Amino acid sequence: MRGTPPHWAAGHRVPRDGITIAQIATEFDDHEMTLHTWIRQSDTPVAADTYHRRVLDPAVGAWFGIGANGMKRPFPIAQENPVNLVRRPMQILRDNPRAYLIANLVMYGIVLVGFGIGVAFPELAAARATTMEEDGTADLVQRVFLNPWLFAATILGVNVITVGLLSIVLPSLVIPFAGLAIFGCRAVVIGVTLAPTDDATWIAMIPHSLTVVIEFQAYILLSLGVHVLGRAWISPSSVGEELHRRGYLQGLKQLGWLALAALALLIIGALYEAFSMRYLVPVLLLG
């Protein structure tokens, strides 16, 4: 006879399938104690529905016998829930739609402001070009430009290390939200650097504008991850934890998922930028 066995979670094991709470916690990137807490509280539809919505995954509700309406099923039904690069970042975006929207508006807005400043004051863009020549950046570009694969690897390395890690992620691991302020300043400089100074650079910006959209979308994902990390660190209850250390770890996991998605975008952006600059821009200039 099927039914919910009394205290089925007391032994940390689902009798029917032999699935431990630790295994469930590992699969869904949750903390084991958090699951124990919600199991104890899930005797009420409200608590069950709260957990169901918090993890944003119907499969998790199925583990605990929670239906889509927040009511408990007669028996927990285990379901496969394969974790992949696309699903987890999308869950985080669905969980933070307002923060994601604001990040897009602010970051694209900042780079456009920098672009406008560069157009209005061409001497600033010229000064940035001089700085890039003096620090060896321009020379490096010239040496790798003819090999698009090497060019793409160089672009990817600069974007990941200089912008992604040093400007956004690493500062935020020490000081909550620090990377947002640092990258905001850097985005203005990037906008000034992108500002065209002659007809040729205006033409080059036609295909290069897509590069900016792709790469900045990666930086926006990292910025959202930094926001989630900082919020979980300061307010652990936002991720279902009580201790700040636990909140930090949960926020760090979500930042990690978003960082993987950002890395994929940066790879796409680097390849597109390298091949478009090597083959497409020269054709546009000759035309």
Side-chain angles (χ1 to χ4, degrees):
M1 177 177 178
R2 298 182 64 181
T4 304
H7 311 297
W8 66 269
H12 297 191
R13 185 174 293 273
V14 180
R16 180 184 177 189
D17 298 304
I19 303 299
T20 65
I21 300 301
Q23 289 174 314
I24 299 174
T26 300
E27 179 169 358
F28 294 103
D29 274 346
D30 221 332
H31 192 270
E32 186 174 349
M33 291 305 298
T34 303
L35 299 191
H36 283 304
T37 299
W38 281 99
I39 291 171
R40 289 195 299 269
Q41 296 177 355
S42 63
D43 288 334
T44 65
V46 174
D49 182 63
T50 302
Y51 185 81
H52 189 205
R53 288 185 288 104
R54 181 178 295 279
V55 297
L56 294 175
D57 195 331
V60 178
W63 279 109
F64 298 104
I66 301 171
N69 60 357
M71 301 299 292
K72 297 186 71 175
R73 293 196 183 102
F75 195 88
I77 302 173
Q79 295 183 4
E80 294 295 331
N81 181 38
V83 178
N84 55 65
L85 180 62
V86 176
R87 185 173 182 179
R88 283 306 178 91
M90 289 301 297
Q91 288 178 344
I92 298 172
L93 295 183
R94 289 196 300 267
D95 197 24
N96 301 274
R98 183 177 179 182
Y100 178 60
L101 176 60
I102 293 175
N104 274 273
L105 294 176
V106 171
M107 293 306 176
Y108 284 124
I110 290 176
V111 75
L112 287 175
V113 168
F115 186 87
I117 293 174
V119 172
F121 303 96
E123 60 273 13
L124 294 179
R128 279 294 302 159
T130 301
T131 301
M132 294 175 67
E133 291 178 0
E134 293 175 350
D135 65 15
T137 302
D139 181 62
L140 176 62
V141 172
Q142 291 176 0
R143 283 188 281 115
V144 300
F145 180 76
L146 294 179
N147 185 334
W149 293 104
L150 183 57
F151 190 22
T154 303
I155 294 170
L156 179 62
V158 171
N159 291 342
V160 169
I161 297 174
T162 305
V163 183
L165 287 177
L166 297 182
S167 297
I168 303 176
V169 175
L170 293 183
S172 302
L173 299 181
V174 181
I175 303 175
F177 313 114
L180 299 179
I182 295 173
F183 179 65
C185 297
R186 193 176 190 90
V188 176
V189 176
I190 293 174
V192 172
T193 305
L194 291 172
T197 55
D198 53 35
D199 292 341
T201 49
W202 274 109
I203 293 175
M205 273 303 299
I206 297 174
H208 193 61
S209 58
L210 180 58
T211 301
V212 176
V213 171
I214 295 173
E215 292 179 350
F216 262 77
Q217 189 59 218
Y219 302 145
I220 287 169
L221 290 180
L222 291 177
S223 299
L224 178 62
V226 163
H227 165 76
V228 172
L229 171 62
R231 184 184 61 188
W233 191 358
I234 295 173
S235 178
S237 60
S238 66
V239 289
E241 299 289 352
E242 297 181 357
L243 301 178
H244 291 280
R245 180 173 62 88
R246 298 292 188 188
Y248 182 89
L249 293 176
Q250 289 294 333
L252 193 61
K253 287 181 181 180
Q254 296 191 53
L255 172 58
W257 282 111
L258 291 174
L260 289 176
L263 178 61
L265 286 175
L266 289 176
I267 292 173
I268 294 172
L271 289 171
Y272 172 78
E273 181 176 1
F275 280 86
S276 64
M277 293 295 289
R278 177 65 181 87
Y279 297 110
L280 181 56
V281 171
V283 173
L284 294 176
L285 294 176
L286 289 176

mmCIF file of all heavy atoms in Angstrom, residues 5-15 21 36 39-40 64:
data_model
loop_
_atom_site.group_PDB
_atom_site.id
_atom_site.type_symbol
_atom_site.label_atom_id
_atom_site.label_comp_id
_atom_site.label_asym_id
_atom_site.label_seq_id
_atom_site.Cartn_x
_atom_site.Cartn_y
_atom_site.Cartn_z
ATOM 1 N N PRO A 5 5.349 7.158 4.566
ATOM 2 C CA PRO A 5 5.713 6.476 5.786
ATOM 3 C C PRO A 5 5.999 7.484 6.880
ATOM 4 O O PRO A 5 6.542 8.545 6.623
ATOM 5 C CB PRO A 5 6.973 5.688 5.410
ATOM 6 C CG PRO A 5 7.410 6.213 4.099
ATOM 7 C CD PRO A 5 6.313 7.014 3.519
ATOM 8 N N PRO A 6 5.624 7.203 8.119
ATOM 9 C CA PRO A 6 5.866 8.154 9.197
ATOM 10 C C PRO A 6 7.354 8.372 9.387
ATOM 11 O O PRO A 6 8.137 7.417 9.467
ATOM 12 C CB PRO A 6 5.240 7.475 10.425
ATOM 13 C CG PRO A 6 5.190 6.024 10.081
ATOM 14 C CD PRO A 6 5.003 5.963 8.605
ATOM 15 N N HIS A 7 7.717 9.661 9.492
ATOM 16 C CA HIS A 7 9.117 10.033 9.708
ATOM 17 C C HIS A 7 10.042 9.382 8.679
ATOM 18 O O HIS A 7 11.090 8.830 9.002
ATOM 19 C CB HIS A 7 9.563 9.631 11.128
ATOM 20 C CG HIS A 7 8.615 10.071 12.194
ATOM 21 N ND1 HIS A 7 8.352 11.417 12.445
ATOM 22 C CD2 HIS A 7 7.838 9.357 13.052
ATOM 23 C CE1 HIS A 7 7.468 11.510 13.444
ATOM 24 N NE2 HIS A 7 7.141 10.292 13.805
ATOM 25 N N TRP A 8 9.660 9.407 7.413
ATOM 26 C CA TRP A 8 10.470 8.743 6.381
ATOM 27 C C TRP A 8 11.844 9.357 6.234
ATOM 28 O O TRP A 8 12.773 8.705 5.754
ATOM 29 C CB TRP A 8 9.740 8.769 5.034
ATOM 30 C CG TRP A 8 9.570 10.141 4.442
ATOM 31 C CD1 TRP A 8 8.523 10.968 4.638
ATOM 32 C CD2 TRP A 8 10.465 10.839 3.585
ATOM 33 N NE1 TRP A 8 8.690 12.139 3.965
ATOM 34 C CE2 TRP A 8 9.878 12.093 3.298
ATOM 35 C CE3 TRP A 8 11.703 10.544 3.008
ATOM 36 C CZ2 TRP A 8 10.480 13.031 2.491
ATOM 37 C CZ3 TRP A 8 12.316 11.480 2.189
ATOM 38 C CH2 TRP A 8 11.699 12.711 1.946
ATOM 39 N N ALA A 9 12.002 10.633 6.633
ATOM 40 C CA ALA A 9 13.311 11.254 6.489
ATOM 41 C C ALA A 9 14.148 11.168 7.749
ATOM 42 O O ALA A 9 15.275 11.627 7.773
ATOM 43 C CB ALA A 9 13.142 12.730 6.111
ATOM 44 N N ALA A 10 13.611 10.574 8.801
ATOM 45 C CA ALA A 10 14.327 10.603 10.072
ATOM 46 C C ALA A 10 15.658 9.879 9.976
ATOM 47 O O ALA A 10 16.642 10.260 10.598
ATOM 48 C CB ALA A 10 13.460 9.983 11.164
ATOM 49 N N GLY A 11 15.709 8.822 9.172
ATOM 50 C CA GLY A 11 16.949 8.082 9.019
ATOM 51 C C GLY A 11 17.814 8.594 7.894
ATOM 52 O O GLY A 11 18.746 7.923 7.477
ATOM 53 N N HIS A 12 17.473 9.783 7.362
ATOM 54 C CA HIS A 12 18.246 10.412 6.283
ATOM 55 C C HIS A 12 18.197 9.580 5.018
ATOM 56 O O HIS A 12 19.108 9.636 4.209
ATOM 57 C CB HIS A 12 19.716 10.606 6.702
ATOM 58 C CG HIS A 12 19.872 11.515 7.865
ATOM 59 N ND1 HIS A 12 21.096 11.990 8.264
ATOM 60 C CD2 HIS A 12 18.965 12.029 8.737
ATOM 61 C CE1 HIS A 12 20.938 12.770 9.341
ATOM 62 N NE2 HIS A 12 19.642 12.789 9.628
ATOM 63 N N ARG A 13 17.145 8.787 4.852
ATOM 64 C CA ARG A 13 17.109 7.914 3.688
ATOM 65 C C ARG A 13 15.658 7.715 3.255
ATOM 66 O O ARG A 13 14.776 7.548 4.085
ATOM 67 C CB ARG A 13 17.745 6.566 4.023
ATOM 68 C CG ARG A 13 17.869 5.619 2.851
ATOM 69 C CD ARG A 13 18.650 4.384 3.269
ATOM 70 N NE ARG A 13 20.028 4.724 3.571
ATOM 71 C CZ ARG A 13 20.992 4.775 2.668
ATOM 72 N NH1 ARG A 13 20.713 4.513 1.410
ATOM 73 N NH2 ARG A 13 22.223 5.085 3.006
ATOM 74 N N VAL A 14 15.436 7.761 1.933
ATOM 75 C CA VAL A 14 14.112 7.471 1.394
ATOM 76 C C VAL A 14 13.985 5.961 1.293
ATOM 77 O O VAL A 14 14.749 5.338 0.548
ATOM 78 C CB VAL A 14 13.932 8.104 0.001
ATOM 79 C CG1 VAL A 14 12.551 7.785 -0.530
ATOM 80 C CG2 VAL A 14 14.143 9.599 0.090
ATOM 81 N N PRO A 15 13.049 5.316 2.021
ATOM 82 C CA PRO A 15 13.021 3.851 2.090
ATOM 83 C C PRO A 15 12.888 3.187 0.734
ATOM 84 O O PRO A 15 13.517 2.185 0.477
ATOM 85 C CB PRO A 15 11.801 3.560 2.963
ATOM 86 C CG PRO A 15 11.587 4.805 3.769
ATOM 87 C CD PRO A 15 12.031 5.919 2.883
ATOM 88 N N ILE A 21 19.773 11.942 1.853
ATOM 89 C CA ILE A 21 19.605 13.387 1.793
ATOM 90 C C ILE A 21 20.881 14.046 1.269
ATOM 91 O O ILE A 21 20.836 15.022 0.532
ATOM 92 C CB ILE A 21 19.244 13.941 3.191
ATOM 93 C CG1 ILE A 21 17.933 13.318 3.681
ATOM 94 C CG2 ILE A 21 19.125 15.454 3.156
ATOM 95 C CD1 ILE A 21 16.757 13.565 2.764
ATOM 96 N N HIS A 36 17.217 19.236 5.443
ATOM 97 C CA HIS A 36 16.632 18.678 6.661
ATOM 98 C C HIS A 36 15.617 19.643 7.265
ATOM 99 O O HIS A 36 14.539 19.236 7.715
ATOM 100 C CB HIS A 36 17.734 18.393 7.680
ATOM 101 C CG HIS A 36 18.512 17.153 7.387
ATOM 102 N ND1 HIS A 36 17.936 15.914 7.244
ATOM 103 C CD2 HIS A 36 19.848 16.976 7.185
ATOM 104 C CE1 HIS A 36 18.870 15.015 6.989
ATOM 105 N NE2 HIS A 36 20.038 15.632 6.940
ATOM 106 N N ILE A 39 12.471 19.642 5.177
ATOM 107 C CA ILE A 39 11.727 18.388 5.322
ATOM 108 C C ILE A 39 10.877 18.439 6.585
ATOM 109 O O ILE A 39 9.711 18.039 6.592
ATOM 110 C CB ILE A 39 12.694 17.188 5.370
ATOM 111 C CG1 ILE A 39 13.342 16.985 4.006
ATOM 112 C CG2 ILE A 39 11.964 15.918 5.792
ATOM 113 C CD1 ILE A 39 14.453 15.969 4.019
ATOM 114 N N ARG A 40 11.477 18.944 7.681
ATOM 115 C CA ARG A 40 10.746 19.022 8.947
ATOM 116 C C ARG A 40 9.568 19.986 8.852
ATOM 117 O O ARG A 40 8.543 19.803 9.503
ATOM 118 C CB ARG A 40 11.694 19.472 10.063
ATOM 119 C CG ARG A 40 12.708 18.419 10.460
ATOM 120 C CD ARG A 40 13.357 18.782 11.789
ATOM 121 N NE ARG A 40 14.067 20.050 11.714
ATOM 122 C CZ ARG A 40 15.354 20.159 11.389
ATOM 123 N NH1 ARG A 40 16.049 19.065 11.121
ATOM 124 N NH2 ARG A 40 15.940 21.345 11.354
ATOM 125 N N PHE A 64 10.586 15.393 -2.649
ATOM 126 C CA PHE A 64 9.940 15.468 -1.354
ATOM 127 C C PHE A 64 8.436 15.217 -1.441
ATOM 128 O O PHE A 64 7.712 15.500 -0.491
ATOM 129 C CB PHE A 64 10.201 16.843 -0.727
ATOM 130 C CG PHE A 64 11.656 17.083 -0.494
ATOM 131 C CD1 PHE A 64 12.361 17.924 -1.342
ATOM 132 C CD2 PHE A 64 12.317 16.471 0.549
ATOM 133 C CE1 PHE A 64 13.703 18.131 -1.143
ATOM 134 C CE2 PHE A 64 13.671 16.679 0.756
ATOM 135 C CZ PHE A 64 14.366 17.508 -0.092
#
